[in-house]
């Protein structure tokens, strides 16, 4: 099941020294398949280039078209064709780098066997690009360790891969621009320079001389990486332009479906490709599909692709330029559309209103359609036939409550509290901590309204919030544990805000909420040692103690309520379970 992005998780890392270029890995995107799809998050273009962790062996890939072609020739010709793809790197190593290294990591050498099918330049770029970016990162690692033999042999292999990518892409592409030709020339010159300088380093024994040459190798490697990034960006941009033009001009449903699927696959390779797609008109073309009745069956696929593209600023800006919010509102409010279509539209809304993306806060066109979108999303929550549909709709609502405070008042008028609390008892719709995270987020943001307390009491919401304080992960995966922490934290925040009303506070005390809050404060294991949960629980406990102090023992009052909040926090955060 898909889950929405977690609030506040927008981290970026700086590279360590000159080698952070190839040592980073993007964690934002959903997982992709293995080497057949060139790994997750191919690389960032130019200076932000990324690669997958080293040590992955690329499996041999034989495509159906390739196999059919090879069956029509004799065995010798087939062997000759395979030989070109499978042994080029090894031959270069033997001829130029002397014996192949027997070091412990030699088993991890990347060799692209099989190659992409004929006429498939996009897959060729992705596969070769993944291998080359990984080689760049690994050369940087070996250089940092002063392992010159490995640096040289890997530099020769890198040259081989770069030459193969240039020649193979030139063979399958229609024509090459002058700019691409210039960058190709610069790339190959730097590859040759890297091989030559690393070979000279093998013959140098003076440490001081090697140190100065190491700086030269580092600079050459960095420049090579930039040229490679430029070339890959130009080539991928060209292929994306072709896909977008094909979607834009097609009136055939099967062609449009296939091309849109290819575009969606590209979005899963990381933010750099999403930026390219947005800049080259991908958002415009996909919304064109979503405005044609003849393509109704393709709406879910097009909307899913749009949600992926809108994870980058360029995608959101393009969406606003083509009145994308209005199109989403039309889809959500039109009951003739399938539930799957409306759920994917909700996913786009959730993406473009995500509170941890700063550029979404300037989506002014959203305010004009907010009321009808909120109404349609709440209806989708009420009628959802599955947990995933409810998750997407509730995630969009949760994000909108951060986006504008008027949304909370709208939800209150639409009896959203009753709809959401009723859904919590339906295991078909609410069955994961991710979904409960969205519900409690909405409740926490609505609880700032004074009239919210009476609706919570009327719908037995305090008991539900009490249950959320005991949220536990089923699988123990980091993502699920983090979701449970957020549920506990937001449940405590909601309780603290609602306890301004004496009726809510008294009901909470009767339901033993204070005992549970004390347990969360005193037992790190109950809150997974989360400081955020601890602070929220201390705040809620103090609010309840102000209304019903008789519910606390003297020791709890003296340690958790009477001191300053920071002192109580330090006391509880330093509590460690004893195993003696």
């Amino acid at each position: 099941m898909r889950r929405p992005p977690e609030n506040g998780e927008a981290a970026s890392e700086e590279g360590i020294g000159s080698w952070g270029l190839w040592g980073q890995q993007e964690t934002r995107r959903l997982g992709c398949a293995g080497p057949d799809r060139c790994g997750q998050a191919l690389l960032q273009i130019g200076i932000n280039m990324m690669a997958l962790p080293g040590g992955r062996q690329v499996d041999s890939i034989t495509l159906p078209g390739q196999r059919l072609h090879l069956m029509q020739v004799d065995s010798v010709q087939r062997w000759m064709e395979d030989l070109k793809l499978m042994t080029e790197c090894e031959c270069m190593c033997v001829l130029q780098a002397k014996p192949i290294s027997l070091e412990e990591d030699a088993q991890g050498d990347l060799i692209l066997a099989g190659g992409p099918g004929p006429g498939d330049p996009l897959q060729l770029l992705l596969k070769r690009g993944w291998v080359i970016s990984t080689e760049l990162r690994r050369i940087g690692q070996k250089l940092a360790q002063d392992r010159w033999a490995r640096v040289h042999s890997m530099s020769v292999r890198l040259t081989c891969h770069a030459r193969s990518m240039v020649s193979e892409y030139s063979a399958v592409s229609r024509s090459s621009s002058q700019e691409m030709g210039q960058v190709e020339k610069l790339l190959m010159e730097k590859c040759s320079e890297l091989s030559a300088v690393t070979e000279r380093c093998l013959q140098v024994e003076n440490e001081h001389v090697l140190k100065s040459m190491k700086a030269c190798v580092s600079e050459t490697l960095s420049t090579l990486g930039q040229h490679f990034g430029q070339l890959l960006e130009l080539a991928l941009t060209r292929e994306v332009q072709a896909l977008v033009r094909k979607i834009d001009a097609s009136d055939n449903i099967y062609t449009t479906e296939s091309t849109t699927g290819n575009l969606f696959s590209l979005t899963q390779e990381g933010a750099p490709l999403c930026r390219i797609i947005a800049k080259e008109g991908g958002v415009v073309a996909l919304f064109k599909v979503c405005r044609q009745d003849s393509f109704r069956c393709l709406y879910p696929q097009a909307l899913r692709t749009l949600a992926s593209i809108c994870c980058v600023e360029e995608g959101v800006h393009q969406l606003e330029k083509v009145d994308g919010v209005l199109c989403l509102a039309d889809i959500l409010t039109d009951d003739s559309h399938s539930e799957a279509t409306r759920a994917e539209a909700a996913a786009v809304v959730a993406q473009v209103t995500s509170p941890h993306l700063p550029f979404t806060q300037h989506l002014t066109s959203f305010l004009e359609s907010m009321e009808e979108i909120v109404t349609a999303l709440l209806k989708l929550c009420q009628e959802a036939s599955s947990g995933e549909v409810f998750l997407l709709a509730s995630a969009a609502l949760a994000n909108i409550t951060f986006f504008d405070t008027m949304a909370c008042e709208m939800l209150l008028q639409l009896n959203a509290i009753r709809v959401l609390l009723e859904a919590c008892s339906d295991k078909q719709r609410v069955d994961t901590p991710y979904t409960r995270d969205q519900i409690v987020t909405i409740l926490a943001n609505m609880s700032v309204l004074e009239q919210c307390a009476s609706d919570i009491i009327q719908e037995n919401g305090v008991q539900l919030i009490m249950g959320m304080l005991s949220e536990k992960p089923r699988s123990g995966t980091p993502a699920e544990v983090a979701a449970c922490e957020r549920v506990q934290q937001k449940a405590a925040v909601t309780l603290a805000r609602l306890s301004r009303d004496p009726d809510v506070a008294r009901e909470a005390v009767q339901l033993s909420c204070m005992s549970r809050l004390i347990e969360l404060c005193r037992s790190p294991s109950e809150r997974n040692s989360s400081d955020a949960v601890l602070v929220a629980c201390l705040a809620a406990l103090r609010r309840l103690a102000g209304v019903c102090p008789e519910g606390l023992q003297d020791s709890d009052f003296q340690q958790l309520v009477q001191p300053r909040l920071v002192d109580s926090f330090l006391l509880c955060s330093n509590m460690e379970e004893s195993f003696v």
Side-chain angles (χ1 to χ4, degrees):
M1 177 179 291
R2 297 187 307 180
R3 61 185 180 88
E6 299 167 2
N7 298 337
E9 293 183 355
S12 63
E13 299 180 3
E14 294 292 335
I16 302 174
S18 302
W19 314 118
L21 287 172
W22 306 287
Q24 303 175 13
Q25 182 180 0
E26 191 167 355
T27 59
R28 183 188 56 72
R29 305 293 296 174
L30 295 178
C32 306
D36 230 14
R37 293 188 34 78
C38 308
Q40 306 176 34
L42 168 66
L43 69 154
Q44 289 206 11
I45 302 301
I47 199 68
N48 292 321
M49 192 161 49
M50 297 181 181
L52 293 177
R56 293 176 60 181
Q57 184 71 23
V58 180
D59 296 331
S60 178
I61 304 165
T62 305
L63 300 180
Q66 194 177 17
R67 185 182 297 276
L68 180 62
H69 170 69
L70 294 176
M71 289 174 63
Q72 298 171 354
V73 298
D74 61 42
S75 58
V76 175
Q77 186 177 349
R78 178 172 178 176
W79 174 74
M80 292 289 287
E81 291 186 7
D82 284 347
L83 192 64
K84 178 182 177 182
L85 292 169
M86 297 173 63
T87 63
E88 184 176 3
C89 294
E90 291 90 334
C91 290
M92 295 297 292
C93 286
V94 171
L95 293 176
Q96 296 188 24
K98 308 303 185 261
I100 297 177
S101 171
L102 297 176
E103 297 183 42
E104 68 279 0
D105 55 353
Q107 297 297 323
D109 291 349
L110 292 167
I111 298 173
L112 185 64
D120 191 3
L122 197 53
Q123 286 302 311
L124 184 150
L125 289 170
L126 294 175
K127 291 174 181 177
R128 285 290 184 189
W130 175 76
V131 171
I132 292 173
S133 62
T134 304
E135 289 284 8
L136 284 167
R137 177 178 59 82
R138 293 171 67 183
I139 291 173
Q141 292 174 345
K142 302 306 176 189
L143 181 62
Q145 299 168 3
D146 294 329
R147 298 172 66 180
W148 292 104
R150 289 292 291 160
V151 168
H152 177 57
S153 64
M154 294 171 73
S155 298
V156 173
R157 189 167 58 246
L158 174 67
T159 303
C160 174
H161 283 306
R163 185 182 296 112
S164 296
M165 185 183 79
V166 169
S167 61
E168 290 171 8
Y169 182 69
S170 298
V172 298
S173 61
R174 292 163 291 282
S175 61
S176 180
S177 66
Q178 183 178 358
E179 184 180 8
M180 283 187 64
Q182 292 173 349
V183 178
E184 287 174 1
K185 182 179 178 181
L186 291 172
L187 174 64
M188 296 315 303
E189 287 177 354
K190 281 297 173 183
C191 284
S192 300
E193 181 181 334
L194 181 65
S195 297
V197 71
T198 54
E199 185 174 16
R200 288 199 301 272
C201 290
L202 289 175
Q203 303 167 4
V204 175
E205 297 182 358
N206 189 299
E207 292 293 333
H208 296 291
V209 176
L210 268 179
K211 187 174 182 180
S212 62
M213 295 185 73
K214 183 175 181 179
C216 178
V217 173
S218 174
E219 183 180 353
T220 303
L221 195 58
S222 178
T223 306
L224 191 157
Q226 292 175 15
H227 290 327
F228 168 66
Q230 292 170 5
L231 178 61
L232 194 58
E233 182 177 15
L234 288 171
L236 287 172
T237 298
R238 183 178 174 183
E239 297 306 319
V240 167
Q241 288 172 344
L243 286 177
V244 171
R245 283 197 300 267
K246 197 171 181 181
I247 293 175
D248 200 41
S250 175
D251 56 0
N252 182 285
I253 191 170
Y254 300 108
T255 301
T256 305
E257 181 182 18
S258 173
T259 312
T260 304
N262 290 338
L263 208 59
F264 174 75
S265 297
L266 285 180
T267 65
Q268 303 306 292
E269 298 294 342
L273 272 168
C274 290
R275 292 189 184 96
I276 293 174
I277 293 170
K279 289 178 181 177
E280 299 306 323
V283 174
V284 179
L286 290 168
F287 269 113
K288 182 179 177 181
V289 171
C290 291
R291 288 186 168 106
Q292 297 182 55
D293 284 341
S294 58
F295 288 149
R296 276 199 165 211
C297 63
L298 301 182
Y299 283 10
Q301 185 183 48
L303 290 166
R304 193 177 304 120
T305 307
L306 280 166
S308 297
I309 299 172
C310 287
C311 72
V312 296
E313 186 171 3
E314 294 83 354
V316 177
H317 289 166
Q318 290 297 315
L319 178 143
E320 191 165 26
K321 284 183 180 179
V322 297
D323 291 328
V325 173
L326 184 60
C327 179
L328 294 173
D330 291 340
I331 292 174
L332 285 167
T333 54
D334 187 350
D335 290 340
S336 67
H337 287 297
S338 66
E339 182 184 68
T341 299
R342 287 179 288 142
E344 294 298 344
V348 181
V349 173
Q351 183 64 67
V352 301
T353 56
S354 179
H356 77 279
L357 299 178
F359 48 82
T360 63
Q361 300 302 313
H362 305 292
L363 199 64
T364 54
S365 61
F366 185 82
L367 297 176
E368 301 172 6
S369 305
M370 186 169 68
E371 185 172 1
E372 56 187 4
I373 288 176
V374 167
T375 303
L377 288 171
L378 186 62
K379 183 179 180 183
L380 187 58
C381 284
Q382 193 169 13
E383 299 174 353
S385 62
S386 68
E388 182 170 4
V389 173
F390 186 93
L391 174 62
L392 293 173
S394 60
L397 283 175
N399 287 351
I400 292 172
T401 59
F402 285 107
F403 189 80
D404 192 272
T405 53
M406 286 195 307
C408 294
E409 298 176 2
M410 293 178 187
L411 287 170
L412 197 62
Q413 294 172 1
L414 294 168
N415 293 321
I417 292 177
R418 177 180 57 79
V419 173
L420 295 173
L421 296 183
E422 284 181 355
C424 287
S425 60
D426 183 358
K427 296 301 181 184
Q428 186 174 357
R429 288 184 290 168
V430 181
D431 57 347
T432 68
Y434 308 115
T435 310
R436 282 185 282 275
D437 182 21
Q438 308 311 317
I439 292 174
V440 73
T441 298
I442 298 170
L443 294 177
N445 288 338
M446 290 181 67
S447 62
V448 299
L449 304 175
E450 292 184 4
Q451 57 268 43
C452 178
S454 59
D455 287 2
I456 290 284
I457 293 176
Q458 185 177 350
E459 300 296 334
N460 295 322
V462 178
Q463 185 171 1
L464 176 69
I465 295 169
M466 169 68 177
M468 289 182 173
L469 290 172
S470 301
E471 188 74 28
K472 296 287 185 183
R474 298 177 187 173
S475 64
T477 61
E480 189 171 356
V481 170
C484 291
E485 290 176 18
R486 293 194 301 274
V487 171
Q488 288 182 330
Q489 177 196 4
K490 293 171 186 176
V493 169
T494 306
L495 191 60
R497 291 174 177 175
L498 291 173
S499 294
R500 296 190 308 265
D501 187 309
D503 293 335
V504 174
R506 280 191 287 270
E507 183 173 349
V509 171
Q510 291 174 2
L511 292 170
S512 302
C513 278
M514 292 180 77
S515 300
R516 178 57 183 162
L517 290 170
I518 292 170
E519 185 180 17
L520 286 167
C521 291
R522 292 191 176 280
S523 176
S525 62
E526 287 295 313
R527 61 176 190 273
N528 195 42
S529 300
S530 169
D531 290 342
V533 176
L534 173 57
V535 171
C537 290
L538 284 170
L541 184 62
R542 287 164 181 247
R543 182 62 63 86
L544 288 174
V547 179
C548 303
E550 62 276 7
L552 283 174
Q553 296 181 4
D554 290 341
S555 59
D556 295 327
F557 181 81
Q558 292 172 5
Q559 294 179 356
L560 304 178
V561 176
Q562 191 175 39
R564 294 181 306 162
L565 181 62
V566 65
D567 293 331
S568 295
F569 170 79
L570 291 173
L571 174 68
C572 294
S573 61
N574 289 330
M575 289 181 177
E576 299 291 343
E577 296 185 32
S578 175
F579 297 96
V580 179

